[in-house]
Structures are given as structure tokens and as C-alpha cells.
């Protein structure tokens, strides 16, 4: 099972990180009208590298199993940063719906691509083991 796990690990990790980022982006969209809400996002490459390396981030508890939940408020152990404000809003909200929709759609497409690739890997494995 170790080789099989290693074979599927990259896209499994990518799906997990993309799913967590999707929740963060959805939270930004949901709070578009909340006064003083600050839009947040995470650097996907940093989160993915950290998830793949499985290195401990200072202040973040080490996980000994993939099923363990991440520390609240992080994406794969990376603390989301605040987006730079491009257009000021009177109520202090920094959510730009155009930016959020683009990021949400881009992340959803990449999530779907990873899902397709992992499905193709599984189909390849099944084709290889069938007589």
C-alpha cells in the first residue's frame, strides 16, 4: 500500500489544500457585505509545499496522520494573509467581488483538474490489475 499511497499522494494533497482554500474564498464572498471584514487568502504554493514536506510550522501542532484536522484558521498549516486592498470601502470591508470570483473560479477549475487526474490514476491502476 505504501507505493500506492505515494502514487496518489500529490493529487490527494492538492485536493485537500484546494478544498481548504475554496472554503476560505467562499468565506470572503459570503462576507462581502460585512462591515470591517478583511478578505483573506493563502499562497497555494507555500501551503502545498508545506503539506508535501510535512514539516512542522512553528506554532502549529505536528500531525501524525492525514486524518487529523488542521489547526483552526490555517490552510494546510499556512496562516492565510490579508489581501492587499485595491479599492477602499467606506465600511472598512476589503472584499473585491471581482477578485474573489476570479480566485474562486480558478481554484475550482484546478480542484476539478486534480480530481480528474486522480480519477485517471485510479482507472490506470484498475486497468493494470484486471486480467
Amino acid at each position: 500500500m505504501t507505493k500506492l499511497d505515494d502514487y496518489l499522494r500529490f493529487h490527494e494533497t492538492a485536493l485537500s489544500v484546494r478544498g481548504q482554500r475554496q472554503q476560505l474564498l467562499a468565506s470572503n464572498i459570503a462576507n462581502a457585505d460585512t462591515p470591517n471584514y478583511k478578505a483573506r487568502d493563502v499562497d497555494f504554493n507555500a501551503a502545498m509545499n508545506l503539506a508535501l514536506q510535512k514539516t512542522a510550522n512553528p506554532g502549529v501542532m505536528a500531525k501524525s496522520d492525514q486524518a487529523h484536522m488542521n489547526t483552526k484558521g490555517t490552510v494546510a498549516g499556512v496562516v492565510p494573509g490579508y489581501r492587499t486592498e485595491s479599492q477602499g470601502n467606506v465600511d472598512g470591508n476589503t472584499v473585491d467581488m471581482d477578485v474573489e470570483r476570479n480566485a474562486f473560479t480558478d481554484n475550482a477549475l484546478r480542484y476539478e483538474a486534480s480530481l480528474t487526474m486522480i480519477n485517471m490514476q485510479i482507472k490506470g491502476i484498475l486497468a493494470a490489475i484486471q486480467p
Side-chain angles (χ1 to χ4, degrees):
M1 285 304 261
T2 304
K3 287 186 178 183
L4 184 60
D5 289 341
D6 291 342
Y7 182 64
L8 299 173
R9 186 174 319 275
F10 180 81
H11 290 293
E12 173 194 352
T13 304
L15 285 174
S16 174
V17 174
R18 289 253 177 239
Q20 293 174 39
R21 184 172 182 236
Q22 199 75 354
Q23 290 177 353
L24 186 64
L25 295 171
S27 175
N28 287 345
I29 292 171
N31 288 294
D33 294 329
T34 304
N36 294 320
Y37 181 83
K38 306 298 179 203
R40 300 175 70 184
D41 197 4
V42 67
D43 179 13
F44 177 78
N45 291 332
M48 186 68 184
N49 284 336
L50 186 62
L52 288 174
Q53 293 172 359
K54 297 182 179 180
T55 57
N57 194 13
V60 176
M61 296 178 64
K63 296 190 318 184
S64 59
D65 190 274
Q66 288 288 335
H68 292 167
M69 296 176 67
N70 289 322
T71 306
K72 186 175 184 175
T74 66
V75 174
V78 175
V79 177
Y82 294 102
R83 284 194 197 272
T84 54
E85 187 175 348
S86 59
Q87 185 175 3
N89 203 350
V90 175
D91 63 359
N93 186 310
T94 63
V95 175
D96 183 349
M97 285 302 289
D98 291 334
V99 171
E100 299 303 327
R101 282 188 198 119
N102 285 338
F104 189 88
T105 302
D106 179 69
N107 196 61
L109 287 173
R110 292 175 191 267
Y111 182 93
E112 189 70 30
S114 287
L115 196 59
T116 301
M117 288 181 192
I118 202 166
N119 281 335
M120 295 301 290
Q121 286 179 319
I122 292 170
K123 286 180 182 176
I125 292 169
L126 288 174
I129 62 174
Q130 287 182 349

